mmCIF file of all heavy atoms in Angstrom:
data_model
loop_
_atom_site.group_PDB
_atom_site.id
_atom_site.type_symbol
_atom_site.label_atom_id
_atom_site.label_comp_id
_atom_site.label_asym_id
_atom_site.label_seq_id
_atom_site.Cartn_x
_atom_site.Cartn_y
_atom_site.Cartn_z
ATOM 1 N N ARG X 39 72.377 -1.563 61.048
ATOM 2 C CA ARG X 39 73.141 -1.430 62.280
ATOM 3 C C ARG X 39 73.767 -0.039 62.373
ATOM 4 O O ARG X 39 74.062 0.586 61.356
ATOM 5 C CB ARG X 39 74.266 -2.469 62.318
ATOM 6 C CG ARG X 39 73.784 -3.901 62.212
ATOM 7 C CD ARG X 39 74.968 -4.841 62.178
ATOM 8 N NE ARG X 39 74.516 -6.206 61.898
ATOM 9 C CZ ARG X 39 75.000 -7.279 62.508
ATOM 10 N NH1 ARG X 39 75.938 -7.150 63.416
ATOM 11 N NH2 ARG X 39 74.551 -8.469 62.210
ATOM 12 N N VAL X 58 86.325 0.360 61.713
ATOM 13 C CA VAL X 58 84.890 0.400 61.451
ATOM 14 C C VAL X 58 84.158 -0.417 62.499
ATOM 15 O O VAL X 58 84.579 -1.526 62.845
ATOM 16 C CB VAL X 58 84.573 -0.153 60.038
ATOM 17 C CG1 VAL X 58 83.084 -0.431 59.886
ATOM 18 C CG2 VAL X 58 85.032 0.833 58.974
ATOM 19 N N LEU X 60 80.343 -1.844 63.024
ATOM 20 C CA LEU X 60 79.043 -2.082 62.406
ATOM 21 C C LEU X 60 78.221 -2.888 63.395
ATOM 22 O O LEU X 60 78.357 -4.101 63.481
ATOM 23 C CB LEU X 60 79.228 -2.832 61.087
ATOM 24 C CG LEU X 60 78.055 -2.904 60.123
ATOM 25 C CD1 LEU X 60 77.638 -1.513 59.670
ATOM 26 C CD2 LEU X 60 78.409 -3.752 58.915
ATOM 27 N N GLY X 61 77.413 -2.186 64.187
ATOM 28 C CA GLY X 61 76.772 -2.856 65.308
ATOM 29 C C GLY X 61 77.845 -3.261 66.295
ATOM 30 O O GLY X 61 78.658 -2.447 66.728
ATOM 31 N N ASP X 62 77.892 -4.554 66.628
ATOM 32 C CA ASP X 62 78.932 -5.054 67.531
ATOM 33 C C ASP X 62 80.100 -5.681 66.778
ATOM 34 O O ASP X 62 81.037 -6.190 67.404
ATOM 35 C CB ASP X 62 78.332 -6.081 68.504
ATOM 36 C CG ASP X 62 77.452 -5.427 69.556
ATOM 37 O OD1 ASP X 62 77.720 -4.257 69.889
ATOM 38 O OD2 ASP X 62 76.500 -6.070 70.031
ATOM 39 N N THR X 63 80.052 -5.659 65.462
ATOM 40 C CA THR X 63 81.182 -6.134 64.670
ATOM 41 C C THR X 63 82.202 -5.017 64.541
ATOM 42 O O THR X 63 81.864 -3.891 64.194
ATOM 43 C CB THR X 63 80.722 -6.592 63.270
ATOM 44 O OG1 THR X 63 79.854 -7.729 63.407
ATOM 45 C CG2 THR X 63 81.910 -6.972 62.396
ATOM 46 N N LYS X 64 83.449 -5.346 64.839
ATOM 47 C CA LYS X 64 84.501 -4.330 64.855
ATOM 48 C C LYS X 64 85.697 -4.812 64.044
ATOM 49 O O LYS X 64 86.204 -5.913 64.266
ATOM 50 C CB LYS X 64 84.913 -4.051 66.309
ATOM 51 C CG LYS X 64 85.747 -2.795 66.508
ATOM 52 C CD LYS X 64 85.939 -2.548 67.996
ATOM 53 C CE LYS X 64 86.715 -1.266 68.265
ATOM 54 N NZ LYS X 64 86.907 -1.029 69.715
ATOM 55 N N VAL X 65 86.128 -3.975 63.098
ATOM 56 C CA VAL X 65 87.207 -4.343 62.180
ATOM 57 C C VAL X 65 88.169 -3.175 62.039
ATOM 58 O O VAL X 65 87.745 -2.017 61.998
ATOM 59 C CB VAL X 65 86.636 -4.706 60.791
ATOM 60 C CG1 VAL X 65 87.750 -4.962 59.797
ATOM 61 C CG2 VAL X 65 85.725 -5.922 60.880
ATOM 62 N N VAL X 66 89.460 -3.477 61.972
ATOM 63 C CA VAL X 66 90.464 -2.437 61.721
ATOM 64 C C VAL X 66 91.244 -2.817 60.472
ATOM 65 O O VAL X 66 91.529 -4.000 60.239
ATOM 66 C CB VAL X 66 91.417 -2.259 62.934
ATOM 67 C CG1 VAL X 66 92.227 -3.515 63.191
ATOM 68 C CG2 VAL X 66 92.333 -1.068 62.720
ATOM 69 N N LEU X 88 94.381 -7.463 49.222
ATOM 70 C CA LEU X 88 93.744 -7.426 50.546
ATOM 71 C C LEU X 88 93.904 -8.770 51.229
ATOM 72 O O LEU X 88 93.738 -9.819 50.601
ATOM 73 C CB LEU X 88 92.264 -7.069 50.391
ATOM 74 C CG LEU X 88 91.419 -6.936 51.660
ATOM 75 C CD1 LEU X 88 90.307 -5.910 51.457
ATOM 76 C CD2 LEU X 88 90.794 -8.273 52.068
ATOM 77 N N LEU X 90 92.746 -10.899 54.902
ATOM 78 C CA LEU X 90 91.796 -10.903 56.023
ATOM 79 C C LEU X 90 92.340 -11.788 57.132
ATOM 80 O O LEU X 90 92.749 -12.927 56.884
ATOM 81 C CB LEU X 90 90.440 -11.415 55.549
ATOM 82 C CG LEU X 90 89.320 -11.493 56.585
ATOM 83 C CD1 LEU X 90 88.915 -10.091 57.046
ATOM 84 C CD2 LEU X 90 88.102 -12.225 56.011
ATOM 85 N N HIS X 91 92.358 -11.252 58.356
ATOM 86 C CA HIS X 91 92.932 -11.979 59.492
ATOM 87 C C HIS X 91 91.882 -12.140 60.595
ATOM 88 O O HIS X 91 91.219 -11.173 60.981
ATOM 89 C CB HIS X 91 94.145 -11.230 60.049
ATOM 90 C CG HIS X 91 95.154 -10.861 59.002
ATOM 91 N ND1 HIS X 91 96.142 -11.719 58.574
ATOM 92 C CD2 HIS X 91 95.316 -9.713 58.280
ATOM 93 C CE1 HIS X 91 96.870 -11.138 57.642
ATOM 94 N NE2 HIS X 91 96.392 -9.919 57.446
ATOM 95 N N THR X 92 91.761 -13.362 61.088
ATOM 96 C CA THR X 92 90.844 -13.644 62.197
ATOM 97 C C THR X 92 91.590 -14.425 63.267
ATOM 98 O O THR X 92 92.673 -14.968 63.033
ATOM 99 C CB THR X 92 89.634 -14.464 61.725
ATOM 100 O OG1 THR X 92 90.101 -15.731 61.220
ATOM 101 C CG2 THR X 92 88.867 -13.736 60.630
ATOM 102 N N SER X 93 91.001 -14.474 64.453
ATOM 103 C CA SER X 93 91.573 -15.261 65.543
ATOM 104 C C SER X 93 90.435 -15.707 66.459
ATOM 105 O O SER X 93 89.315 -15.191 66.357
ATOM 106 C CB SER X 93 92.581 -14.411 66.335
ATOM 107 O OG SER X 93 91.903 -13.487 67.169
ATOM 108 N N CYS X 96 88.130 -13.054 68.201
ATOM 109 C CA CYS X 96 87.109 -12.220 67.557
ATOM 110 C C CYS X 96 85.732 -12.879 67.529
ATOM 111 O O CYS X 96 84.747 -12.232 67.185
ATOM 112 C CB CYS X 96 87.543 -11.834 66.137
ATOM 113 S SG CYS X 96 87.560 -13.191 64.960
ATOM 114 N N GLY X 97 85.644 -14.151 67.883
ATOM 115 C CA GLY X 97 84.334 -14.794 67.917
ATOM 116 C C GLY X 97 84.458 -16.294 68.085
ATOM 117 O O GLY X 97 85.478 -16.894 67.718
ATOM 118 N N THR X 99 83.114 -18.546 66.445
ATOM 119 C CA THR X 99 83.165 -19.253 65.166
ATOM 120 C C THR X 99 84.588 -19.620 64.799
ATOM 121 O O THR X 99 84.845 -20.655 64.181
ATOM 122 C CB THR X 99 82.570 -18.380 64.047
ATOM 123 O OG1 THR X 99 81.250 -17.996 64.422
ATOM 124 C CG2 THR X 99 82.516 -19.138 62.730
ATOM 125 N N PHE X 100 85.548 -18.760 65.195
ATOM 126 C CA PHE X 100 86.936 -18.968 64.820
ATOM 127 C C PHE X 100 87.674 -19.625 65.975
ATOM 128 O O PHE X 100 88.282 -18.952 66.806
ATOM 129 C CB PHE X 100 87.593 -17.632 64.449
ATOM 130 C CG PHE X 100 86.804 -16.872 63.424
ATOM 131 C CD1 PHE X 100 85.956 -15.835 63.803
ATOM 132 C CD2 PHE X 100 86.883 -17.212 62.089
ATOM 133 C CE1 PHE X 100 85.221 -15.149 62.866
ATOM 134 C CE2 PHE X 100 86.146 -16.529 61.138
ATOM 135 C CZ PHE X 100 85.308 -15.501 61.526
ATOM 136 N N THR X 115 86.168 -23.534 58.781
ATOM 137 C CA THR X 115 86.333 -22.130 59.179
ATOM 138 C C THR X 115 87.433 -21.458 58.371
ATOM 139 O O THR X 115 87.274 -20.337 57.884
ATOM 140 C CB THR X 115 86.662 -22.042 60.683
ATOM 141 O OG1 THR X 115 85.594 -22.605 61.440
ATOM 142 C CG2 THR X 115 86.860 -20.593 61.093
ATOM 143 N N ASP X 118 86.214 -20.776 54.945
ATOM 144 C CA ASP X 118 85.281 -19.654 54.934
ATOM 145 C C ASP X 118 86.033 -18.324 54.931
ATOM 146 O O ASP X 118 85.661 -17.392 54.210
ATOM 147 C CB ASP X 118 84.349 -19.724 56.151
ATOM 148 C CG ASP X 118 83.327 -20.843 56.034
ATOM 149 O OD1 ASP X 118 83.153 -21.364 54.916
ATOM 150 O OD2 ASP X 118 82.729 -21.205 57.058
ATOM 151 N N VAL X 119 87.069 -18.224 55.755
ATOM 152 C CA VAL X 119 87.862 -16.994 55.819
ATOM 153 C C VAL X 119 88.565 -16.754 54.484
ATOM 154 O O VAL X 119 88.588 -15.624 53.970
ATOM 155 C CB VAL X 119 88.895 -17.068 56.964
ATOM 156 C CG1 VAL X 119 89.832 -15.869 56.919
ATOM 157 C CG2 VAL X 119 88.185 -17.135 58.310
ATOM 158 N N GLN X 120 89.124 -17.808 53.909
ATOM 159 C CA GLN X 120 89.794 -17.676 52.615
ATOM 160 C C GLN X 120 88.812 -17.274 51.524
ATOM 161 O O GLN X 120 89.144 -16.454 50.657
ATOM 162 C CB GLN X 120 90.495 -18.989 52.262
ATOM 163 C CG GLN X 120 91.681 -19.329 53.158
ATOM 164 C CD GLN X 120 92.250 -20.707 52.878
ATOM 165 O OE1 GLN X 120 91.598 -21.564 52.279
ATOM 166 N NE2 GLN X 120 93.475 -20.933 53.322
ATOM 167 N N ALA X 121 87.609 -17.840 51.563
ATOM 168 C CA ALA X 121 86.592 -17.493 50.569
ATOM 169 C C ALA X 121 86.165 -16.038 50.714
ATOM 170 O O ALA X 121 85.969 -15.328 49.718
ATOM 171 C CB ALA X 121 85.387 -18.418 50.701
ATOM 172 N N THR X 122 86.016 -15.582 51.962
ATOM 173 C CA THR X 122 85.653 -14.180 52.214
ATOM 174 C C THR X 122 86.748 -13.247 51.733
ATOM 175 O O THR X 122 86.484 -12.215 51.112
ATOM 176 C CB THR X 122 85.392 -13.961 53.719
ATOM 177 O OG1 THR X 122 84.335 -14.822 54.147
ATOM 178 C CG2 THR X 122 84.987 -12.516 53.986
ATOM 179 N N GLU X 123 88.005 -13.600 52.009
ATOM 180 C CA GLU X 123 89.141 -12.795 51.559
ATOM 181 C C GLU X 123 89.167 -12.702 50.032
ATOM 182 O O GLU X 123 89.359 -11.617 49.461
ATOM 183 C CB GLU X 123 90.436 -13.408 52.077
ATOM 184 C CG GLU X 123 91.692 -12.675 51.636
ATOM 185 C CD GLU X 123 92.953 -13.353 52.139
ATOM 186 O OE1 GLU X 123 93.315 -13.161 53.305
ATOM 187 O OE2 GLU X 123 93.565 -14.120 51.360
ATOM 188 N N TYR X 125 86.650 -13.088 47.998
ATOM 189 C CA TYR X 125 85.480 -12.315 47.564
ATOM 190 C C TYR X 125 85.734 -10.814 47.720
ATOM 191 O O TYR X 125 85.413 -10.016 46.835
ATOM 192 C CB TYR X 125 84.273 -12.750 48.379
ATOM 193 C CG TYR X 125 82.977 -12.071 47.994
ATOM 194 C CD1 TYR X 125 82.418 -12.289 46.739
ATOM 195 C CD2 TYR X 125 82.315 -11.234 48.875
ATOM 196 C CE1 TYR X 125 81.234 -11.676 46.378
ATOM 197 C CE2 TYR X 125 81.134 -10.615 48.519
ATOM 198 C CZ TYR X 125 80.590 -10.845 47.275
ATOM 199 O OH TYR X 125 79.421 -10.238 46.909
ATOM 200 N N LEU X 126 86.327 -10.418 48.832
ATOM 201 C CA LEU X 126 86.631 -9.006 49.065
ATOM 202 C C LEU X 126 87.625 -8.479 48.031
ATOM 203 O O LEU X 126 87.505 -7.345 47.559
ATOM 204 C CB LEU X 126 87.192 -8.818 50.474
ATOM 205 C CG LEU X 126 86.196 -8.992 51.625
ATOM 206 C CD1 LEU X 126 86.928 -9.038 52.966
ATOM 207 C CD2 LEU X 126 85.166 -7.873 51.628
ATOM 208 N N ILE X 129 85.729 -7.889 44.775
ATOM 209 C CA ILE X 129 84.913 -6.671 44.840
ATOM 210 C C ILE X 129 85.810 -5.444 44.691
ATOM 211 O O ILE X 129 85.496 -4.505 43.953
ATOM 212 C CB ILE X 129 84.156 -6.591 46.174
ATOM 213 C CG1 ILE X 129 83.164 -7.731 46.314
ATOM 214 C CG2 ILE X 129 83.405 -5.263 46.274
ATOM 215 C CD1 ILE X 129 82.452 -7.761 47.647
ATOM 216 N N VAL X 156 93.308 -6.457 56.857
ATOM 217 C CA VAL X 156 92.060 -6.296 57.601
ATOM 218 C C VAL X 156 92.051 -7.268 58.772
ATOM 219 O O VAL X 156 92.129 -8.485 58.578
ATOM 220 C CB VAL X 156 90.832 -6.537 56.705
ATOM 221 C CG1 VAL X 156 89.545 -6.359 57.496
ATOM 222 C CG2 VAL X 156 90.859 -5.601 55.493
ATOM 223 N N GLU X 157 91.973 -6.725 59.970
ATOM 224 C CA GLU X 157 91.979 -7.532 61.194
ATOM 225 C C GLU X 157 90.603 -7.471 61.838
ATOM 226 O O GLU X 157 90.086 -6.386 62.120
ATOM 227 C CB GLU X 157 93.033 -7.008 62.168
ATOM 228 C CG GLU X 157 93.221 -7.871 63.402
ATOM 229 C CD GLU X 157 94.001 -9.148 63.115
ATOM 230 O OE1 GLU X 157 94.887 -9.121 62.247
ATOM 231 O OE2 GLU X 157 93.706 -10.166 63.772
ATOM 232 N N VAL X 158 90.004 -8.647 62.059
ATOM 233 C CA VAL X 158 88.681 -8.711 62.688
ATOM 234 C C VAL X 158 88.867 -8.726 64.208
ATOM 235 O O VAL X 158 89.459 -9.658 64.761
ATOM 236 C CB VAL X 158 87.909 -9.965 62.234
ATOM 237 C CG1 VAL X 158 86.507 -9.976 62.844
ATOM 238 C CG2 VAL X 158 87.830 -10.022 60.709
ATOM 239 N N LEU X 159 88.369 -7.693 64.858
ATOM 240 C CA LEU X 159 88.487 -7.604 66.319
ATOM 241 C C LEU X 159 87.314 -8.274 67.021
ATOM 242 O O LEU X 159 87.475 -8.876 68.074
ATOM 243 C CB LEU X 159 88.581 -6.133 66.736
ATOM 244 C CG LEU X 159 89.719 -5.318 66.118
ATOM 245 C CD1 LEU X 159 89.688 -3.884 66.632
ATOM 246 C CD2 LEU X 159 91.071 -5.963 66.409
ATOM 247 N N ASN X 160 86.121 -8.134 66.434
ATOM 248 C CA ASN X 160 84.937 -8.786 66.992
ATOM 249 C C ASN X 160 83.959 -9.074 65.858
ATOM 250 O O ASN X 160 83.651 -8.193 65.065
ATOM 251 C CB ASN X 160 84.259 -7.899 68.043
ATOM 252 C CG ASN X 160 83.157 -8.642 68.783
ATOM 253 O OD1 ASN X 160 83.403 -9.688 69.383
ATOM 254 N ND2 ASN X 160 81.942 -8.122 68.741
ATOM 255 N N HIS X 161 83.533 -10.329 65.758
ATOM 256 C CA HIS X 161 82.638 -10.734 64.673
ATOM 257 C C HIS X 161 81.246 -11.015 65.230
ATOM 258 O O HIS X 161 81.035 -11.968 65.959
ATOM 259 C CB HIS X 161 83.204 -11.983 63.996
ATOM 260 C CG HIS X 161 82.348 -12.489 62.869
ATOM 261 N ND1 HIS X 161 81.497 -11.687 62.157
ATOM 262 C CD2 HIS X 161 82.222 -13.730 62.330
ATOM 263 C CE1 HIS X 161 80.881 -12.394 61.225
ATOM 264 N NE2 HIS X 161 81.307 -13.639 61.325
ATOM 265 N N ASP X 162 80.297 -10.148 64.843
ATOM 266 C CA ASP X 162 78.915 -10.342 65.269
ATOM 267 C C ASP X 162 77.983 -10.209 64.064
ATOM 268 O O ASP X 162 76.896 -9.671 64.153
ATOM 269 C CB ASP X 162 78.543 -9.310 66.343
ATOM 270 C CG ASP X 162 77.207 -9.633 66.999
ATOM 271 O OD1 ASP X 162 76.987 -10.806 67.351
ATOM 272 O OD2 ASP X 162 76.376 -8.707 67.142
ATOM 273 N N GLY X 163 78.456 -10.692 62.893
ATOM 274 C CA GLY X 163 77.663 -10.620 61.675
ATOM 275 C C GLY X 163 78.096 -9.496 60.758
ATOM 276 O O GLY X 163 78.774 -8.562 61.171
ATOM 277 N N ASN X 164 77.684 -9.611 59.483
ATOM 278 C CA ASN X 164 78.009 -8.601 58.475
ATOM 279 C C ASN X 164 79.495 -8.337 58.346
ATOM 280 O O ASN X 164 79.937 -7.195 58.200
ATOM 281 C CB ASN X 164 77.288 -7.286 58.760
ATOM 282 C CG ASN X 164 75.951 -7.216 58.066
ATOM 283 O OD1 ASN X 164 74.940 -7.253 58.740
ATOM 284 N ND2 ASN X 164 75.935 -7.135 56.755
ATOM 285 N N LEU X 165 80.291 -9.399 58.371
ATOM 286 C CA LEU X 165 81.738 -9.255 58.290
ATOM 287 C C LEU X 165 82.163 -8.683 56.939
ATOM 288 O O LEU X 165 83.078 -7.857 56.863
ATOM 289 C CB LEU X 165 82.417 -10.601 58.532
ATOM 290 C CG LEU X 165 83.946 -10.612 58.437
ATOM 291 C CD1 LEU X 165 84.543 -9.624 59.432
ATOM 292 C CD2 LEU X 165 84.487 -12.013 58.671
ATOM 293 N N ILE X 166 81.514 -9.107 55.867
ATOM 294 C CA ILE X 166 81.892 -8.633 54.533
ATOM 295 C C ILE X 166 81.693 -7.126 54.426
ATOM 296 O O ILE X 166 82.565 -6.394 53.951
ATOM 297 C CB ILE X 166 81.095 -9.375 53.442
ATOM 298 C CG1 ILE X 166 81.553 -10.829 53.346
ATOM 299 C CG2 ILE X 166 81.243 -8.681 52.086
ATOM 300 C CD1 ILE X 166 80.782 -11.673 52.358
ATOM 301 N N ASP X 167 80.555 -6.638 54.875
ATOM 302 C CA ASP X 167 80.295 -5.198 54.829
ATOM 303 C C ASP X 167 81.314 -4.426 55.658
ATOM 304 O O ASP X 167 81.875 -3.425 55.215
ATOM 305 C CB ASP X 167 78.887 -4.896 55.360
ATOM 306 C CG ASP X 167 77.805 -5.231 54.346
ATOM 307 O OD1 ASP X 167 78.156 -5.722 53.253
ATOM 308 O OD2 ASP X 167 76.622 -4.999 54.639
ATOM 309 N N ALA X 168 81.548 -4.882 56.874
ATOM 310 C CA ALA X 168 82.458 -4.173 57.775
ATOM 311 C C ALA X 168 83.887 -4.190 57.243
ATOM 312 O O ALA X 168 84.580 -3.165 57.268
ATOM 313 C CB ALA X 168 82.409 -4.807 59.173
ATOM 314 N N ALA X 169 84.338 -5.346 56.746
ATOM 315 C CA ALA X 169 85.709 -5.462 56.250
ATOM 316 C C ALA X 169 85.918 -4.602 55.005
ATOM 317 O O ALA X 169 86.949 -3.924 54.883
ATOM 318 C CB ALA X 169 86.035 -6.926 55.946
ATOM 319 N N PHE X 170 84.954 -4.626 54.094
ATOM 320 C CA PHE X 170 85.116 -3.840 52.871
ATOM 321 C C PHE X 170 85.065 -2.343 53.162
ATOM 322 O O PHE X 170 85.846 -1.564 52.608
ATOM 323 C CB PHE X 170 84.025 -4.209 51.863
ATOM 324 C CG PHE X 170 84.217 -3.562 50.514
ATOM 325 C CD1 PHE X 170 85.195 -4.022 49.654
ATOM 326 C CD2 PHE X 170 83.440 -2.493 50.121
ATOM 327 C CE1 PHE X 170 85.395 -3.434 48.415
ATOM 328 C CE2 PHE X 170 83.624 -1.890 48.886
ATOM 329 C CZ PHE X 170 84.606 -2.369 48.021
ATOM 330 N N LEU X 171 84.166 -1.937 54.050
ATOM 331 C CA LEU X 171 84.077 -0.530 54.418
ATOM 332 C C LEU X 171 85.377 -0.064 55.078
ATOM 333 O O LEU X 171 85.869 1.040 54.800
ATOM 334 C CB LEU X 171 82.897 -0.311 55.359
ATOM 335 C CG LEU X 171 82.597 1.134 55.770
ATOM 336 C CD1 LEU X 171 82.336 1.998 54.545
ATOM 337 C CD2 LEU X 171 81.395 1.173 56.721
ATOM 338 N N ALA X 172 85.958 -0.905 55.926
ATOM 339 C CA ALA X 172 87.228 -0.557 56.577
ATOM 340 C C ALA X 172 88.349 -0.450 55.550
ATOM 341 O O ALA X 172 89.202 0.444 55.637
ATOM 342 C CB ALA X 172 87.574 -1.603 57.638
ATOM 343 N N ALA X 173 88.358 -1.344 54.563
ATOM 344 C CA ALA X 173 89.393 -1.319 53.525
ATOM 345 C C ALA X 173 89.311 -0.031 52.706
ATOM 346 O O ALA X 173 90.334 0.621 52.448
ATOM 347 C CB ALA X 173 89.261 -2.536 52.616
ATOM 348 N N PRO X 230 79.174 -0.714 50.901
ATOM 349 C CA PRO X 230 78.621 -2.076 50.892
ATOM 350 C C PRO X 230 77.277 -2.149 51.611
ATOM 351 O O PRO X 230 77.049 -1.459 52.607
ATOM 352 C CB PRO X 230 79.680 -2.888 51.643
ATOM 353 C CG PRO X 230 80.302 -1.893 52.575
ATOM 354 C CD PRO X 230 80.289 -0.571 51.856
ATOM 355 N N SER X 232 74.513 -5.417 52.487
ATOM 356 C CA SER X 232 74.092 -6.811 52.336
ATOM 357 C C SER X 232 72.576 -6.919 52.370
ATOM 358 O O SER X 232 71.905 -6.192 53.103
ATOM 359 C CB SER X 232 74.679 -7.682 53.456
ATOM 360 O OG SER X 232 76.075 -7.771 53.330
ATOM 361 N N ASP X 244 70.856 -6.060 55.784
ATOM 362 C CA ASP X 244 71.884 -6.259 56.820
ATOM 363 C C ASP X 244 71.622 -7.513 57.640
ATOM 364 O O ASP X 244 71.352 -7.458 58.822
ATOM 365 C CB ASP X 244 71.939 -5.020 57.717
ATOM 366 C CG ASP X 244 72.901 -5.203 58.880
ATOM 367 O OD1 ASP X 244 73.850 -5.967 58.722
ATOM 368 O OD2 ASP X 244 72.691 -4.562 59.918
ATOM 369 N N ASP X 245 71.643 -8.670 56.986
ATOM 370 C CA ASP X 245 71.303 -9.920 57.641
ATOM 371 C C ASP X 245 72.279 -10.240 58.758
ATOM 372 O O ASP X 245 73.438 -9.863 58.705
ATOM 373 C CB ASP X 245 71.292 -11.058 56.620
ATOM 374 C CG ASP X 245 70.524 -12.242 57.104
ATOM 375 O OD1 ASP X 245 69.597 -12.064 57.896
ATOM 376 O OD2 ASP X 245 70.855 -13.355 56.698
ATOM 377 N N ASP X 246 71.795 -10.939 59.762
ATOM 378 C CA ASP X 246 72.653 -11.264 60.901
ATOM 379 C C ASP X 246 73.550 -12.452 60.599
ATOM 380 O O ASP X 246 73.511 -13.046 59.524
ATOM 381 C CB ASP X 246 71.796 -11.519 62.137
ATOM 382 C CG ASP X 246 71.277 -10.218 62.721
ATOM 383 O OD1 ASP X 246 72.037 -9.252 62.736
ATOM 384 O OD2 ASP X 246 70.105 -10.176 63.130
ATOM 385 N N ASP X 247 74.285 -12.856 61.581
ATOM 386 C CA ASP X 247 75.471 -13.683 61.457
ATOM 387 C C ASP X 247 75.347 -14.886 60.510
ATOM 388 O O ASP X 247 76.002 -14.939 59.491
ATOM 389 C CB ASP X 247 75.824 -14.183 62.874
ATOM 390 C CG ASP X 247 77.245 -14.672 62.942
ATOM 391 O OD1 ASP X 247 77.932 -14.634 61.924
ATOM 392 O OD2 ASP X 247 77.646 -15.087 64.038
ATOM 393 N N ASP X 248 74.468 -15.854 60.816
ATOM 394 C CA ASP X 248 74.532 -17.133 60.116
ATOM 395 C C ASP X 248 73.948 -17.088 58.721
ATOM 396 O O ASP X 248 74.442 -17.768 57.819
ATOM 397 C CB ASP X 248 73.823 -18.193 60.939
ATOM 398 C CG ASP X 248 74.561 -18.476 62.247
ATOM 399 O OD1 ASP X 248 75.783 -18.315 62.267
ATOM 400 O OD2 ASP X 248 73.899 -18.840 63.223
ATOM 401 N N ASP X 249 72.889 -16.332 58.497
ATOM 402 C CA ASP X 249 72.229 -16.333 57.197
ATOM 403 C C ASP X 249 72.587 -15.083 56.417
ATOM 404 O O ASP X 249 71.742 -14.467 55.790
ATOM 405 C CB ASP X 249 70.718 -16.430 57.383
ATOM 406 C CG ASP X 249 70.292 -17.803 57.858
ATOM 407 O OD1 ASP X 249 70.612 -18.136 59.005
ATOM 408 O OD2 ASP X 249 69.685 -18.535 57.080
ATOM 409 N N GLU X 250 73.855 -14.734 56.425
ATOM 410 C CA GLU X 250 74.306 -13.501 55.797
ATOM 411 C C GLU X 250 74.614 -13.746 54.333
ATOM 412 O O GLU X 250 75.214 -14.737 53.964
ATOM 413 C CB GLU X 250 75.562 -13.031 56.524
ATOM 414 C CG GLU X 250 76.169 -11.773 55.984
ATOM 415 C CD GLU X 250 77.311 -11.370 56.882
ATOM 416 O OE1 GLU X 250 77.040 -10.783 57.934
ATOM 417 O OE2 GLU X 250 78.461 -11.658 56.555
ATOM 418 N N THR X 251 74.149 -12.849 53.455
ATOM 419 C CA THR X 251 74.358 -12.977 52.020
ATOM 420 C C THR X 251 74.723 -11.630 51.444
ATOM 421 O O THR X 251 74.243 -10.616 51.887
ATOM 422 C CB THR X 251 73.064 -13.486 51.339
ATOM 423 O OG1 THR X 251 72.683 -14.711 51.936
ATOM 424 C CG2 THR X 251 73.306 -13.707 49.845
ATOM 425 N N CYS X 252 75.589 -11.633 50.423
ATOM 426 C CA CYS X 252 75.918 -10.402 49.718
ATOM 427 C C CYS X 252 75.587 -10.580 48.264
ATOM 428 O O CYS X 252 75.947 -11.563 47.676
ATOM 429 C CB CYS X 252 77.393 -10.055 49.875
ATOM 430 S SG CYS X 252 77.749 -9.071 51.331
#
Side-chain angles (χ1 to χ4, degrees):
R39 302 177 187 221
V58 166
L60 194 61
D62 287 331
T63 296
K64 194 173 183 180
V65 175
V66 64
L88 182 149
L90 180 67
H91 309 275
T92 62
S93 76
C96 70
T99 305
F100 308 99
T115 299
D118 288 345
V119 173
Q120 292 174 341
T122 301
E123 178 182 280
Y125 182 65
L126 289 169
I129 296 176
V156 180
E157 186 75 33
V158 183
L159 303 180
N160 189 57
H161 179 25
D162 191 46
N164 269 111
L165 178 58
I166 290 177
D167 283 2
F170 187 74
L171 184 58
S232 293
D244 175 28
D245 199 28
D246 284 321
D247 198 359
D248 293 331
D249 289 69
E250 179 175 280
T251 303
C252 272

